Amino acid sequence: MNSHDLRLMANKIRRRDVQAVFEAGAGHIGGEMSVIDLLTALYFDIMSVNPDNPNDPKRDRLVLSKGHTALALYIVLSEKGFIAKDEISTFLKPHSRLNGHPNRTKVPGVETNTGPLGHGLPIAVGMAKAAQMNDEPWRTFVITGDGEMQEGSNWEAIMAASQFKLDNLTLIIDHNRLQQGARLVDTNDVAPLRPKLEAFGWAVEEINGHNMDEICSVLAADKVVKGKPKCIVAHTNKGQGISFMSDDVAWHHKVPNEQQYKQAMAELEEASQ
Amino acid sequence: MNAPLETSSLYDCRDAFVATLEDLAAANESIVAVCNDSVGSSKLAGFREKFPERLINVGIAEQNMVGVAAGLANAGKIPFVCAASPFLTGRALEQIKADIAYSETNVKLVGISSGMAYGELGATHHSIEDFAWIRALPNVPVIAPADRIETASVIKWAAEHQGGCFLRLSRVGVPDLLPENHVFELGCANILRDGSDVTIIANGTLTYRAMMAAAILDKQGISARVINMASVRPIDTQAIVEAAQATGAIITCEEHTIFGGLGSAVAEVVVDESPVPMKRLGVPGIFAPTGSANFLIEEFGMSPSGIADSATKLIMRKK
């Protein structure tokens, strides 16, 4: 998919996300707007996955460690063909398999059950280690939130990935500068991330996490640095694409009212033109 | 059966564990070991020598250790995570819950030096809560073998089992107890000695003490049934109900707090299915004082004579 089509796909996913949150009356809309461009690029340009064989041993893996943005992943998986598109309307309903956090045993395409923060990166290290042991070419990607980098388990995994020389592993930090309750800078400021990761032996790149060309370019296989795990610090905005949500901590899991919903959809539709 | 008990030779079950793991790994290259700098305490030096690429030592980082194992399993490996029980289960409990139990991951958690094996090192190093913590989780069978024969059988079972499990091993020597041809079956208890007056249910390092207690009781004219309950979850409901009905009283012995462990698991079945008087022996809800495992087990009333005394008192409560 070219970058124009990727942008249109991301816009479509944003609109479906806003609609689903509005209808369900819950969700993590801010972080979903933040991560959608990254997920779109991964699933429609970078990763090799097959909805007809979701457990193909040679597939690329994506671990959405910021599992609270599961809805964005569900919509991406539905657009990719892993689940039916009309299933998105069951999000959060009783007995729906589309829980508020992803479940690999229920939803094809989900690799592991995330939700508690700081779990995805260690698991991704294990995946990448297995591929390295087997000398297999598939890649492992993991997306964490920036606030999530406050979890100590991530730094255990960062040390191990470097020790194991996992150059088949890519950590993407969705760096939107906001966590649930406040700005990172006012809570426990893990920024700047680049020098910390570099000090731990990682190759680090910083990009605009909403620029499709930059995302696709930095994630391309030819950008792998031999012997080093890769960290992409993706500078993003929580609530990206919706003016009144963007960069506002209130929208971590706030639900739009009808007027806000209409405005958000109008803005996204205009952006799709 | 009333198996004779020979206690002159005691064996460290870790040796049976690593010997079996090495045999299995030689036959199945998917098997890997994951540890937290615990090569020595988990006796993995031989495994490392034979399969250097298949020993994944993450350093002193238990949360990462369990997460890495989940990722390895996602890619088709069969990881045996080997670490001291208190740190494996305590530090990484949320990883065990989310990454192993909830994600239904094929990871074998091998808790080494469980119970009060690190006796004198103090309560930080005791793992007397692990039955309770892991037993509360779906999808992770909890198993405490009683001797080296059962340990070897449990490791073979674990390698074949599709899914997670928690194997609770000790380093404190125990005698041979089960027959050489014993095959562990999940959720199946073993009646080691039949009896009609009282039932003693134990596992791990306590099973042979239960057998010795039964011998003491026998001399007093009391017929005690002894059940080895390696599988704490799932538990053998039928064996417990039959014991309650046949003997009318049940005493449990475990190297664990009496809150939430084997005794609690047995009591849950007894209360639901066939209420009879019970006594739960174990660590009585305190942090243990300084002392070796064997000292502390006696301190908490679980020497053979201590168990026999409790059994005698329990029988007096039968109607």
Side-chain angles (χ1 to χ4, degrees), chain A residues 13 26 42 47 50 63 78 108 129 143 151 155 160 218 223 230 235 239:
Chain A
I13 292 165
L42 282 165
M47 285 170 48
N50 180 1
V63 176
S78 76
K129 179 69 182 165
I143 302 179
E151 292 280 8
W155 298 93
V218 82
K223 296 289 173 60
K230 170 75 68 79
H235 293 276

Side-chain angles (χ1 to χ4, degrees), chain A residues 212-223:
Chain A
M212 244 355 135
D213 293 322
E214 284 190 38
I215 299 170
C216 293
S217 169
V218 82
L219 291 174
D222 62 5
K223 296 289 173 60

Side-chain angles (χ1 to χ4, degrees), chain A residues 59 61 99 103-105 111-113 116 118-119 122-123 125-127 129-130 133-134 138 153 156-157 160 164, chain B residues 32 53-54 56-58 61-65 67-68 70-72 74-75 77 91 94-95 98-99 102-105:
Chain A
R59 71 194 182 278
R61 268 77 164 172
N99 192 351
N103 188 325
R104 70 174 281 273
T105 69
E111 295 289 352
T112 191
N113 301 8
H119 282 239
I123 295 168
V125 167
M127 292 169 173
K129 179 69 182 165
M133 291 169 79
N134 294 349
W138 53 270
S153 52
E156 295 183 1
F164 298 154
Chain B
V32 298
E53 304 299 323
R54 287 155 64 184
I56 296 141
N57 186 349
V58 301
E62 290 75 24
Q63 298 177 72
N64 187 47
M65 173 177 65
V68 164
L72 288 162
N74 172 288
K77 301 293 181 190
R91 181 71 70 96
E94 191 186 69
Q95 277 74 17
D99 308 350
Y102 186 40
S103 294
E104 298 184 27
T105 311

Side-chain angles (χ1 to χ4, degrees), chain A residues 32-102:
Chain A
E32 282 153 9
M33 296 305 115
S34 168
V35 80
I36 279 171
D37 293 313
L38 297 167
L39 286 173
T40 303
L42 282 165
Y43 277 89
F44 292 93
D45 186 58
I46 300 296
M47 285 170 48
S48 170
V49 291
N50 180 1
D52 295 326
N53 186 13
N55 294 320
D56 182 346
K58 302 293 165 65
R59 71 194 182 278
D60 292 329
R61 268 77 164 172
L62 181 278
V63 176
L64 184 64
S65 194
K66 43 178 287 183
H68 53 285
T69 57
L71 175 57
L73 178 62
Y74 297 149
I75 297 168
V76 168
L77 291 175
S78 76
E79 290 293 337
K80 194 75 185 171
F82 284 88
I83 59 174
K85 288 181 191 173
D86 59 9
E87 193 175 346
I88 298 301
S89 62
T90 72
F91 177 60
L92 304 186
K93 288 190 174 163
H95 291 293
S96 168
R97 60 180 178 168
L98 305 185
N99 192 351
H101 296 88

